[in-house]
Amino acid sequence: MQPPAGSQVSRVPAQRTPPEQMAPPAPAPLPVRPKRPLRTVLMVVAGVLALLCAGGAVVGFVLYDRATAPDRSAPDVVVANYIQAYLINRNDAKAKEFTCSSGGDLDGIRALRAELEQREANFDVMIKVSWGPLVRAQEGNDESVTTTLAISSSQDGQPRSSRREAWRFALVDNHDGWRVCGAEKIG
């Protein structure tokens, strides 16, 4: 069949490229990975939770540290905590948190505690110590706190004896707060 007149189709038979000269076939396209929006969402949520947990741990540590640190903010507070720890609870480790690192001149208060312990053992009594108002006095860069210790004993719930002693505590403001560096009985 002849092409119509005016046609631009060639009358030359079609020529094919020999197979050895043909370009290699295009490689098969790589399979498309299916989109995984759920996996992405889970990874983001896990990352956010990890950050929240880490932040919570830091906040928890800071709050715990502040709550358990001894209060050495003021001389009278330190003296009250020291008397509570050393004479009432008789906890040397806790009392040490409120004293000078050098130990200071605390022989008088040590002697008082030794006397109280000896009386408890010798007379089978229970001795309680309390303190009165804490009066602060400035002494140069340091301060002193004066108070009255009330010492009372009882046996089987019955009061046996009581006395009052005036004490002066010398305090020094170290880099981490006030510390008791001396204690003496006055009067």
Side-chain angles (χ1 to χ4, degrees):
M1 168 176 244
Q2 292 289 331
S7 163
Q8 302 220 355
V9 177
S10 168
R11 294 186 184 178
V12 179
Q15 296 182 5
R16 296 194 177 180
T17 309
E20 59 273 356
Q21 292 179 358
M22 282 180 61
L30 293 175
V32 177
R33 285 182 48 180
K35 291 185 180 180
R36 295 196 169 118
L38 181 61
R39 176 187 256 173
T40 304
V41 168
L42 288 177
M43 293 300 284
V44 169
V45 168
V48 168
L49 285 176
L51 288 174
L52 286 174
C53 288
V58 169
V59 168
F61 174 77
V62 169
L63 292 177
Y64 174 79
D65 185 51
R66 286 184 184 169
T68 59
D71 184 3
R72 292 188 288 260
S73 60
D76 50 351
V77 172
V78 171
V79 169
N81 287 329
Y82 176 71
I83 293 171
Q84 179 73 38
Y86 192 71
L87 293 178
I88 297 171
N89 298 339
R90 299 186 186 169
N91 183 339
D92 291 336
K94 185 71 174 171
K96 189 173 180 156
E97 294 178 359
F98 301 103
T99 59
C100 290
S101 57
S102 65
D105 182 17
L106 300 171
D107 293 337
I109 201 84
R110 288 186 189 115
L112 174 63
R113 182 166 136 182
E115 175 196 341
L116 299 178
E117 290 171 343
Q118 183 181 12
R119 285 181 183 253
E120 284 180 330
N122 291 345
F123 301 110
D124 192 30
V125 294
M126 178 187 279
I127 297 179
K128 295 190 180 212
V129 178
S130 61
W131 66 90
L134 300 165
V135 180
R136 294 171 57 174
Q138 187 78 30
E139 295 179 1
N141 291 336
D142 303 331
E143 285 200 29
S144 68
V145 174
T146 306
T147 189
T148 301
L149 298 179
I151 303 165
S152 59
S153 66
S154 62
Q155 185 177 39
D156 298 326
Q158 299 296 321
R160 293 291 176 204
S161 66
S162 66
R163 71 179 196 247
R164 296 182 179 278
E165 297 180 359
W167 281 79
R168 178 182 300 122
F169 295 86
L171 292 102
V172 173
D173 187 8
N174 288 350
H175 64 280
D176 63 345
W178 290 94
R179 302 281 186 140
V180 175
C181 293
E184 63 179 339
K185 183 178 174 181
I186 53 177

